[in-house]
Every structure is written in C-alpha cells, then in structure tokens.
Amino acid sequence: MSADTGTAGAHPAGGTAQPPGRPAPARRRRVDWSAWRAFAVLTLPMVAGLVVFKYVAMGWGLLLSFSEARGTIALGTWAGLGNYHQLFGDPRFRDSLTLIVVFTAFIVPTTFALSLGLAVLVNRLRRGRALFRTAFFLPAAVSYVVASLVWKMSLFSGLPSGVANSLLGLFGGEPTAWIATVDPPLYWIVLVTVRLWLQVGLYMILFLAGIQQIPADLYEAARVDGAAGEWKLFRHITFPLLRNTSIAVVLLLVIAAFQAFDEFYNLLSTGLAGAPGPDGRPPLVYLYDIALVQQNYGVGSAGAFVVTLLIVAVTLVQGRLVGFGRGDE
Amino acid sequence: MNPRSRPSRMGSYLAAVVFALPFLLPFYLLLRNSLMSQAELGALEWRWWPEQVSLRGFADAFSNETAPLGRALLNSTIIAVVSAPVSTMLASMAGYAVARIRVAAAKPTFVLILATMMVPGAATFIPTFVVVGSMGGVNTLWGLILPGLFNAFAVLLFRGFYLRFPHEIEEAGRVDGLGHLGVYLRLALPNSGSLFAALGVLSFIEHWNAFLWPLVIGQDPTYWTVQVAMSTHLTSQAINLPALFASAVVAVAPLAAVFLFAQRYIVRGVMMTGIKG
C-alpha cells in the first residue's frame, strides 16, 4: 500500500491571491488511487444495492408495464398502453384513487392538529414531561397488524362488550357493527383512529423538537408588548416559527397516507375474496390483488408507476406552493 | 412567576391525563385480552379483568401447527437483528465516502444515491418483487432482508454528520499513517456512535413491524414473520382470539422494552430523520 501518494493536495489552497485576469495554471494531478480504492470499497455495496433494487427494478417495472405479463415476470409481448388502459378502465382502480385522496384529506389534518396540540401541551408540563411524552409516543412501537387486531376485535368489535359499544351502552345506545357499517360510513372512524393512534406520537416528537428551538425571550418580548394570551402567543410566535417543521410533517404525512396498505388489508379483510364488510381498497391493496393474487404483473407495474408518479407530483406541487410563499417572511 | 400560571398548569396536567388515557387504553386491552379465555372474549358483558387469568392463549400460540409462533419470532428476529446494523453500516460507509473522499466520482455517486429518495418505498413493491422474484428470492430469508438494506436517506444523514467531522482529527490520523479506510474505521466511525444508535434503533423497529414486503415475499408459512402470521390468523375464518392476542403481546413486548430503554436514541433519530427539509 502506498500511503505517500496525493501529497499535492496537502498544499493550503487559496493561501496566496491569484493576480486577477490570469487563469489558474492547469495543473495535472496524479490520480490518487488509494482514495479511489477506499471510495469504491465504501460506496460499492450501497450503490450496487440501489442500482439493483431501485434502478433496475424501476426500469424493469416500466418495461413490464408496457407488456403482456400474466403469470410471468419475464417481458412478454409488447402491449403498448394496453395495461394503462385496462387499469384506468377498471372502476375499482378509479375508486381506489378517490378513496386514497379522501383518506388523505381526513388523516393529514387530524394527525397534524393532534400531534401539534400534544406537543404544545407536553411542552407546557414542568414535571412528568418525559412520562407523558412516552405515553403519547409508545404506540409508535406497535405494528399496524397488532393495532388492527385491537381495533377490530376489541375497541370497535361488534360485540356489546367491545369498548366503543360499552361506552355507547352507557348512554343507552344499541351495539353497533362498526367495521361492517358502510352507511353511514362508521368503518371510517375505525380506519382513521387506528392510524392516528399509531403515528401521532412520532409527529409530536418532531413538533416538540421544533418548539424547543424557539428562543424563550421571544415569548418574553411578546408578553412585554402585551400579547399575553396563550392562544395569541401560539398564533403569533409558536406556529409561524414551526413553519419548516410543519412543512416537513405535512409532506411526510401525505406520502405515508398515499401508501396506506396495512390497516386496510387487516381491518377490512379485503385480502379475502367475498368477505363481508366495506370494500375499502386503497391503491396498494388493489395492486396487491392484481399482482400477487391475479398475477398480472403488467397491470400491476403500470399501477405502481401511476401511484409513484402521483406521490412525486404531490411532493413537487407542495414544494412549489411552499416555495412561492417564502418571500413573505 | 406569572400569577395565572398555577391554575393553567393544573389544566395542562388534567388535559394531558385525559389525552393519555386513550393512548394507553389499547395496551391495556392487549394485555387483558391475552389473559382471557375464548369464552370470556366472546362474552356480551364488559369486563375489566379476566375472572380467571388464563395462559392458554400463550400456550396455543406457540403450539399452533400451521403457523408456529416460535418460527415466526425467529424469522422476525433474524430479519431485524441483521437488517438494523447492516443497513446502518452501509449507509455510514457510503455517507463517509461521499462526504470526505475527494474523487471525481463523489458527486455523481451522491446524486445517484439521493435520486432514489424520490421513489416512494411501498408504492414500488411490485417492481421490487419482480426483481427479487427473478433472482429466486421468494420464500427465502435473503429475499426478505436484502432489498431493505439500502437506505438513501440514512446516507444523507451520515454525510451531513461526517461533513462536520473535524479535519484536525483526520489530519492526525494521516500523520499516524492511516489511509482513508483507516481514518473511517478507526476515527470517524467510532465517533458516530450516537447517530449510529439512533438510526439503528429506528431501523430495528421498522423491520420488526414491516408488513407489506414480508407478506409479498414470505408466502410459505416457514417464512412468515410475526406480523404476517398474526395477519393470517386475523383475516381467517376461525380465529383463536386468545392465542392471537397472546401473539400480539409477544410481538409488542420486545419493542416496548426497546422504546422504554432506548427512547432518547429513538427521539434523537426521529428528530433527525424528520427535519430533512
């Protein structure tokens, strides 16, 4: 191993000012092979993995989406836009897109408001802050499968002994089959609350981090200026200064919501053909059915690209909207 | 200080308790139900605690023939225990290289890694399945593990960390005769312990709780993870509820322990991964 290569780089660059107008002398450096070797050793596993599981996968998927691929993952006959036609021709796929937009419209604001509210609340506590933070954060350790089990079989079970029904019973209400009731869409409560419970703590932590970076003297100054009400302080100081955190939270929430799969699959049993209950099928559950059950990888790949493009588009649009407002502050 | 602050602080505690109760309720239900008998779980009357604590559910869960919980636990453990350190290590290596080794390929490599962040993970499970399937990865442990080891976002975080790694330390290592790899392994890596722990713990949780990918790849019961095994029972016709709740308790317990003991790492990890914008 030659350790003494590349000592040319040790010269302190920019130590002497170049006379203006004269171009820097084109010095030809020797290639530092030891640096290249180290770089290759360190980056090769990551690059190879990403190339195979992202780039090749996306490339192959794109080709598959234009070909006839039923029951096979080999590239079959060229089908042009046939798979995309079939996809958008299927009312169940269009319904799944509507469903996920509505679901996102429900889950993003509720999670945002609750996690921000809890962060403000926890931040006000002097003692026991860590205790309450843990209580709100602990659900993040639970999987969607386990949460779905509790929600389906205990919290919102159709039995009179279910938690929701027991509470209802206290007020003289009749036991309700929460998940099986489509009209009014009571199953929606089950779907939204389970995700809320699982992810609120995570975003609360993000907001807490943001709140704790706000200098305390800003609040003092505002109090001196007479803006004493807690709500006013929140509106004029806390919330505006959480701008960057808020943007990140909304983006993360939207991306996560668009990829919802676990709770729909486990709560609504749409993974089982002919199971009773609402047919709540977000895009990923629909695509799981197409690819893994019907083994139509052509249409499945086409769907994967549609959903991916949708998410990328939403990300870019949000970045754009946020970018426009930046000059105001 | 403020005369109003005492009653308002009381109000805060009251509100915190009122909100915390529904957050803790599902944990209590999980425990209560796992200790109930099938008959008690199907009862019409609400009950705070089983009349007679039964461990039958735990026994049933472990002796289930079609989907033995022991096997599923083993699979989940192998996946999480391998994935967490390896994926973090790979990200650390790549992050160091793009941050500190000045070769012409550094920028393009970083762009190539970063670009994959635009692609949402779960939404592209079909293309990934096609590639892993063609490599013979269905119903294998490596098929379950390998695609989840490459985390571009973790590379970004490690790069940020290593960019701030003091040049004096690197120079000192050079004087002692260390090459790039030596500086990384002896000096930079040991100094990134807290970031390593934070990302490692998050990765552990993520892999333990993962559902869609194990469902797609581990189709044979031998390769079911805990989550897939529970889901299969949950969506089947005849459910042994006590066994299912007992499995859930077993599945949640290790993570709850990780949460309680490594919370500061998790919190730090979440703070770093969230503030990327």
Side-chain angles (χ1 to χ4, degrees):
Chain A
M1 218 192 248
S2 58
D4 53 353
T5 46
T7 38
H11 280 292
T16 48
Q18 292 269 345
R22 204 204 296 172
R27 226 177 299 159
R28 185 172 278 239
R29 268 198 225 167
R30 276 191 37 216
V31 176
D32 183 352
W33 286 113
S34 81
W36 273 95
R37 198 164 49 226
F39 186 83
V41 167
L42 291 176
T43 54
L44 208 60
M46 176 63 65
V47 169
L50 289 176
V51 164
V52 171
F53 295 113
K54 297 283 180 194
Y55 287 95
V56 171
M58 294 301 278
W60 193 337
L62 192 63
L63 289 175
L64 267 183
S65 78
F66 292 115
S67 65
E68 189 77 38
R70 287 171 194 275
T72 171
I73 49 175
L75 297 176
T77 22
W78 183 256
L81 289 172
N83 290 327
Y84 290 90
H85 270 296
Q86 191 183 329
L87 193 65
F88 282 102
D90 186 350
R92 290 187 314 158
F93 181 66
R94 296 198 304 264
D95 287 349
S96 83
L97 292 179
T98 316
L99 174 78
I100 209 62
V101 170
V102 175
F103 182 67
T104 306
F106 267 91
I107 196 69
V108 174
T110 44
T111 311
F112 185 94
L114 189 58
S115 49
L116 177 56
L118 288 180
V120 171
L121 182 63
V122 167
N123 191 54
R124 286 166 57 106
L125 305 175
R126 294 275 161 80
R127 282 188 207 170
R129 184 188 287 179
L131 190 74
F132 281 101
R133 191 186 66 187
T134 304
F136 295 126
F137 191 36
L138 200 55
V142 179
S143 71
Y144 276 91
V145 179
V146 169
S148 298
L149 165 68
V150 175
W151 255 246
K152 186 178 182 178
M153 292 302 176
S154 203
L155 212 46
F156 287 100
S157 106
L159 291 173
S161 58
V163 174
N165 279 339
S166 297
L167 279 175
L168 215 59
L170 288 180
F171 301 101
E174 288 293 305
T176 307
W178 294 87
I179 293 181
T181 309
V182 181
D183 187 29
L186 294 180
Y187 71 100
W188 206 250
I189 298 175
V190 185
L191 280 173
V192 171
T193 50
V194 71
R195 180 168 281 248
L196 206 55
W197 182 70
L198 284 168
Q199 67 180 11
V200 153
L202 217 70
Y203 296 100
M204 177 199 73
I205 298 285
L206 287 181
F207 278 125
L208 261 177
I211 288 173
Q212 279 158 11
Q213 279 168 3
I214 300 175
D217 43 343
L218 277 180
Y219 291 103
E220 291 307 319
R223 284 211 182 85
V224 170
D225 287 350
E230 293 290 338
W231 170 247
K232 269 194 178 157
L233 291 178
F234 174 78
R235 247 200 61 145
H236 294 296
I237 298 175
T238 313
F239 193 61
L241 287 175
L242 285 178
R243 182 188 152 85
N244 286 340
T245 311
S246 302
I247 292 165
V249 165
V250 170
L251 195 61
L252 292 171
L253 281 173
V254 170
I255 292 173
F258 265 78
Q259 300 187 81
F261 177 86
D262 298 9
E263 74 265 51
F264 285 88
Y265 182 92
N266 286 297
L267 281 172
L268 304 184
S269 303
T270 27
L272 281 176
D279 189 16
R281 210 183 279 254
L284 258 58
V285 175
Y286 174 86
L287 292 176
Y288 175 83
D289 192 47
I290 293 282
L292 272 296
V293 181
Q294 299 175 30
Q295 308 220 321
N296 192 336
Y297 299 108
V299 174
S301 301
F305 276 97
V306 172
V307 176
T308 299
L309 281 181
L310 221 83
I311 293 174
V312 171
V314 169
T315 312
L316 292 179
V317 165
Q318 210 206 340
R320 206 60 194 273
L321 286 177
V322 167
F324 279 137
R326 193 154 278 167
D328 305 346
E329 248 114 355
Chain B
M1 27 176 234
N2 203 321
R4 294 174 308 103
S5 67
R6 186 173 286 270
S8 98
R9 208 183 309 156
M10 287 291 286
S12 296
Y13 278 101
L14 194 69
V17 170
V18 167
F19 275 107
L21 286 178
F23 274 80
L24 295 175
L25 175 70
F27 290 104
Y28 151 72
L29 289 173
L30 209 52
L31 192 64
R32 185 201 69 162
N33 295 356
S34 72
L35 299 173
M36 279 183 160
S37 65
Q38 180 92 356
E40 243 178 332
L41 275 172
L44 301 181
E45 285 282 298
W46 165 261
R47 204 180 265 284
W48 285 101
W49 198 247
E51 198 167 29
Q52 196 177 7
V53 169
S54 152
L55 294 176
R56 186 65 198 285
F58 289 89
D60 283 356
F62 279 101
S63 63
N64 187 309
E65 288 293 314
T66 47
L69 183 60
R71 177 76 213 200
L73 276 173
L74 182 67
N75 289 337
S76 288
T77 306
I78 294 173
I79 293 169
V81 165
V82 171
S83 300
V86 173
S87 68
T88 313
M89 185 69 200
L90 293 182
S92 159
M93 286 159 54
Y96 182 82
V98 294
R100 297 305 280 264
I101 302 181
R102 293 169 176 274
V103 292
K107 192 97 189 263
T109 306
F110 184 51
V111 171
L112 181 119
I113 293 172
L114 212 59
T116 62
M117 277 177 59
M118 282 295 276
V119 179
T124 52
F125 77 94
I126 294 173
T128 315
F129 172 78
V130 165
V131 164
V132 174
S134 74
M135 293 159 71
V138 177
N139 288 325
T140 62
L141 272 177
W142 71 258
L144 286 162
I145 295 173
L146 199 57
L149 296 181
F150 311 101
N151 184 347
F153 185 46
V155 177
L156 182 68
L157 291 175
F158 271 113
R159 176 182 169 270
F161 180 87
Y162 290 129
L163 278 175
R164 293 189 301 271
F165 185 69
H167 284 271
E168 296 76 42
I169 299 182
E170 185 180 344
E171 289 302 320
R174 287 310 181 85
V175 170
D176 288 348
L178 292 177
H180 284 290
L181 287 178
V183 170
Y184 168 65
L185 285 172
R186 304 265 182 86
L187 303 174
L189 183 63
N191 274 299
S192 51
S194 71
L195 180 57
F196 210 95
L199 292 176
V201 171
L202 281 187
S203 167
F204 186 89
I205 297 169
E206 196 186 310
H207 282 99
W208 183 271
N209 284 339
F211 178 62
L212 177 55
W213 185 248
L215 178 74
V216 165
I217 284 295
Q219 299 170 355
D220 188 275
T222 322
Y223 293 100
W224 282 353
T225 62
V226 178
Q227 312 298 338
V228 174
M230 283 191 294
S231 166
T232 310
H233 289 303
L234 181 60
T235 50
S236 74
Q237 300 297 333
I239 306 180
N240 182 339
L241 269 182
L244 198 43
F245 278 108
S247 309
V249 168
V250 174
V252 169
L255 279 204
V258 167
F259 247 67
L260 294 178
F261 291 110
Q263 202 188 149
R264 70 196 170 98
Y265 291 117
I266 302 172
V267 167
R268 201 178 302 157
V270 169
M271 286 175 179
M272 283 181 302
T273 47
I275 306 165
K276 58 174 176 178

